[in-house]
Amino acid sequence: MIGSVILIGPMGSGKSSAARSLASLLGHRFSDTDRLVVQRAGQRVSEIFDREGEAAFRQREREALLELKGWSRHVIATGGGIVETPENVETLRSMGCVVWLRASLEVLWRRVATDMNRPLLQVLDPRAALAQTVAKREPLYSAAAHVSVDTSGLTAQQVVTSVHELVVSFFLASRPPAA
Ligand code: S3P
């Protein structure tokens, strides 16, 4: 299998941990757009939002994605807002198999409620902000994804198994026929 696998989905959908496990299962390398942004900027995500604003973060995120585009055999976790930049959708789809990790609002909220590292949730009513963001982005995730997994009732291990099966089928189906 030569293409990369890119995990998209909202904050709290478990992209990073699923990507790490999937990378070791496939023998691919793991990467993360947020991590690359932080490395390149020398600042944490929250600092970039505070000092430079969301638009600058999105620009840095776009640059990180373009950098990762040059690498194959990676499993890449992305930030939840990567689909907000319209050009990213085509870029993501050109890189390999795009997997959308879905989860109910209850599950997402349980996972992010106590996390102070998500700038978009540092507002008076973070649960409403999460709900609004998820609703706004659903069509964007849908347009970007080749396959999707509803992770709500699944263990971390089950998520990885489901994603693995879907990804293998995707790459088998997109292989050119033998001459
Ligand atoms: C964001 C999600 C975060 C991070 C940044 C913005 C978003 O990543 O990129 O805080 O817009 O949803 P996670 O999805 O890993 O939390």
Side-chain angles (χ1 to χ4, degrees):
M1 189 164 16
I2 41 172
S4 287
V5 178
I6 309 97
L7 302 191
I8 62 170
M11 307 169 227
S13 57
K15 293 163 293 190
S16 296
S17 65
R20 273 181 201 284
S21 305
L22 189 66
S24 68
L25 196 62
L26 295 171
H28 282 21
R29 292 186 61 189
F30 163 77
S31 39
D32 185 319
T33 55
D34 277 350
R35 203 171 64 167
L36 195 55
V37 166
V38 167
Q39 277 170 2
R40 296 290 178 259
Q43 310 175 71
R44 289 197 302 269
V45 168
S46 55
E47 289 172 335
I48 300 171
F49 269 75
D50 283 351
R51 295 173 184 165
E52 303 177 2
E54 182 173 351
F57 173 79
R58 296 291 167 219
Q59 180 58 35
R60 290 184 178 278
E61 186 177 50
R62 167 97 188 126
E63 285 159 15
L65 185 66
L66 290 175
E67 190 174 334
L68 290 169
K69 187 181 168 179
W71 306 352
S72 63
R73 303 178 75 93
H74 272 67
V75 181
I76 301 165
T78 58
I82 198 137
V83 291
E84 296 251 0
T85 304
E87 313 88 78
N88 284 349
V89 172
E90 200 186 323
T91 306
L92 287 162
R93 288 179 67 86
S94 72
M95 291 166 66
C97 182
V98 183
V99 183
W100 173 19
L101 295 188
R102 290 167 19 237
S104 68
L105 190 59
E106 287 68 36
V107 170
L108 295 175
W109 175 243
R110 213 182 305 138
R111 291 182 187 152
V112 301
T114 55
D115 188 340
M116 303 301 288
N117 289 319
R118 291 185 162 99
L120 295 181
L121 300 181
Q122 305 313 306
V123 292
L124 270 182
D125 188 349
R127 197 179 198 284
L130 180 67
Q132 215 173 25
T133 306
V134 169
K136 182 179 70 168
R137 291 178 180 167
E138 286 239 333
L140 305 177
Y141 291 132
S142 174
H146 293 110
V147 295
S148 76
V149 174
D150 186 350
T151 67
S152 298
L154 303 184
T155 63
Q157 182 55 52
Q158 287 169 328
V159 171
V160 175
T161 305
S162 299
V163 173
H164 183 235
E165 281 170 15
L166 287 167
V167 163
V168 169
S169 305
F170 171 86
F171 283 117
L172 283 177
S174 53
R175 221 168 36 170

